[in-house]
Amino acid sequence: MALVPMKQILEEAKKKGYGVGAYNVNNMEQIQAIMAAAQETQSPVIIQASRGALKYSNFTYLGYLMKAAVIENPTIPVAMHLDHGNSLDSAKKAIDLGFSSVMIDGSLKEDGKTPSDYEYNVNVTKSVVEYAHKYGVTVEAEIGRLGGIEDGVGSGSAHITDPQEALQFVKDTGVDALAIAIGTSHGAYKFKGAKVLAFDVLQEVRKLIDIPIVLHGASSVPKELIDAVNKYGGKMPGAEGVPMEHLQKAIKLGVQKINVDTDGRLAMTATIRKVFTESPEKFDPRDYLGPARTALQGLIASKMKAFGTAGHASDYAPLTLEDMKKAYSK
Ligand code: G3H
Ligand code: 13P
Ligand code: ZN
C-alpha cells in the first residue's frame, strides 16, 4: 500500500519544482476518476475530503472508499487529507478514519464563517500539530483569509497574507504546510474584473519560509465546461476561475499544493446534463455517472500534466506514518 504522509509528497514536489493537485472527493466515481488519472499519468496524488463531504457520506463510507483507492493503486503515492478542518475534534475524527494528513483552518472560527484573530489561529493550529504529529500525520494550516463563501467555508471577506505574519506563524505552530491567501477564492465565481493574484506576496512568503505552500481556490473554471453546463440547461453566468498560466506561475514561484474542487464538479455536471438532455430515456445511474467519471478522469489527467505532477509517481520510496512519528519525536 502507498498511503503516504502528505509532507513527503509536498517536499518531494518542492525539491523538483512541480505542483501536486489536491482533489476534493465526495463519492466513488470521483475517487476512481482521480486515481485513474494518477495511474494514466503516473502522478502522486492528494485526495481530500471536506467536513461537508465526510458528513454527507456519514464519514465511514468515504473513509473506506478513499482507503480502497490506496489498496487498488499500490504503486501510486496517495495522501488522504482532511480539507478545512475547523477544530481539534475534526482532525481527530479524520485521523481515526486513517487519514495521513489534516488541514486545520484557523483563519476562521469553528463555524467556518467568522474571521478569527492570529492568537486563535495559532492556538487551534498548535493543538492539532501536537496531536497529529504523535500519529505521524501531516498538518496544513492557513494564514490570511480567502475571499468567497463556499458551503460553510469562507467569510466573504478576503485578507491577503502578510508575509512576516506567515513567518511568525510557522515558527509559532510547527505546521508542515501553509495555505496563503493571494487573491483566489473558493467556488465558480472568483473574479469580477481583472484576474489579479498577489504574486509579489507569494514571492516574499517563499523567501521567508521553507515549508511547502498551498493554494486554495485554484480551479480554473474552464470556459468550455461552463458553456457545456449552460448549453444543457444549467445557469452559471459570469463564472470565472484562475487561468492555468497563473497556476503554473505560482508553481514556479514556490507553490506545491493546488486545491481543486469546483472544476471536478463542473466536469461531472456538464456530462450528466448532456446525457439527460440527449438521452432522456436513460434512468440507470451508471449511464450518467459512468460518463461523468470518464470526463473527470480526462480533466484531472490534464491538470496533472499541466502542474508538472505527471511522471513522478515512482521517484521515491514512500515513507510510512510510523517513519514520520519517529521523525516528529526527535
Ligand atoms: O473548500 C471548499 C471545498 O470546495 C469543499 O467544499 O465544503 O462544499 O465540500 P464543500
Ligand atoms: P476551488 O473551489 O477553486 O476548486 O477550490 C477548492 C479548495 O480550495 C478546496 O479546499
Ligand atoms: Zn479550500
Side-chain angles (χ1 to χ4, degrees):
M1 273 210 264
L3 174 69
V4 299
M6 188 171 80
K7 183 178 166 72
Q8 183 186 25
I9 292 185
L10 297 182
E11 283 182 352
E12 290 289 340
K14 185 164 172 285
K15 262 190 243 162
K16 294 202 171 159
Y18 61 89
V20 182
Y23 305 102
N24 284 75
V25 297
N26 302 270
N27 66 13
M28 182 185 78
E29 284 78 7
Q30 289 174 313
I31 295 171
Q32 288 176 326
I34 293 160
M35 294 314 302
Q39 278 291 353
E40 181 190 327
T41 62
Q42 286 298 298
S43 300
V45 68
I46 300 159
I47 45 176
Q48 60 185 12
S50 68
R51 283 179 285 121
L54 288 168
K55 194 169 163 213
Y56 174 76
S57 69
N58 202 14
F59 286 78
T60 319
Y61 286 98
L62 194 54
Y64 275 86
L65 284 168
M66 291 165 84
K67 281 184 185 162
V70 175
I71 293 167
E72 287 282 303
N73 297 276
T75 59
I76 300 290
V78 186
M80 287 168 61
H81 176 71
L82 169 70
D83 191 26
H84 292 284
N86 63 337
S87 61
L88 176 58
D89 187 54
S90 64
K92 282 183 180 172
K93 281 194 179 127
I95 293 168
D96 284 348
L97 270 184
F99 282 36
S100 62
S101 178
V102 292
M103 177 190 188
I104 173 68
D105 181 358
S107 73
L108 301 169
K109 292 207 174 143
E110 205 168 324
D111 64 6
K113 290 186 180 78
T114 312
S116 68
D117 58 23
Y118 182 80
E119 201 188 347
Y120 174 92
N121 197 352
V122 167
N123 287 338
V124 72
T125 301
K126 260 170 79 173
S127 72
V128 172
V129 169
E130 194 181 311
Y131 182 86
H133 282 185
K134 278 192 216 142
Y135 294 85
V137 167
T138 304
V139 181
E140 171 190 335
E142 178 165 325
I143 192 83
R145 210 168 43 241
L146 261 62
I149 303 174
E150 177 87 1
D151 293 351
V153 183
S155 68
S157 74
H159 175 62
I160 299 289
T161 299
D162 170 349
Q164 286 298 338
E165 197 172 66
L167 172 63
Q168 192 58 44
F169 184 78
V170 171
K171 285 188 191 158
D172 286 346
T173 59
V175 73
D176 300 296
L178 187 66
I180 61 170
I182 58 166
T184 62
S185 58
H186 292 125
Y189 303 90
K190 298 186 194 300
F191 301 100
K192 288 216 173 75
K195 300 183 178 195
V196 181
L197 295 186
F199 288 115
D200 55 330
V201 169
L202 166 56
Q203 264 173 309
E204 195 54 31
V205 175
R206 183 71 292 168
K207 259 194 247 157
L208 294 171
I209 70 168
D210 201 32
I211 61 172
I213 294 177
V214 183
L215 191 61
H216 283 248
S219 276
S220 295
V221 190
K223 187 177 175 315
E224 59 274 19
L225 289 181
I226 293 298
D227 287 349
V229 167
N230 290 337
K231 177 176 171 189
Y232 296 110
K235 208 171 177 185
M236 300 189 68
E240 294 287 354
V242 185
M244 182 52 79
E245 310 80 73
H246 283 26
L247 299 174
Q248 288 170 326
K249 181 169 175 185
I251 292 167
K252 248 195 211 125
L253 295 178
V255 165
Q256 280 74 41
K257 177 173 182 270
I258 302 146
N259 278 21
V260 175
D261 185 354
T262 298
D263 284 356
R265 296 177 177 188
L266 290 172
M268 293 190 88
T269 299
T271 308
I272 291 170
R273 283 190 174 281
K274 183 170 189 281
V275 174
F276 284 169
T277 305
E278 291 180 348
S279 313
E281 75 287 358
K282 290 206 190 294
F283 63 96
D284 180 339
R286 290 170 296 188
D287 286 339
Y288 49 89
L289 292 176
R293 180 174 59 186
T294 305
L296 182 58
Q297 178 183 341
L299 174 93
I300 303 292
S302 74
K303 287 192 189 288
M304 287 168 165
K305 289 175 198 158
F307 296 159
T309 336
H312 291 291
S314 47
D315 283 4
Y316 46 91
L319 293 172
T320 63
L321 295 187
E322 279 304 315
D323 296 328
M324 292 309 300
K325 250 196 238 179
K326 282 185 207 138
Y328 285 132
S329 68
K330 273 181 199 157

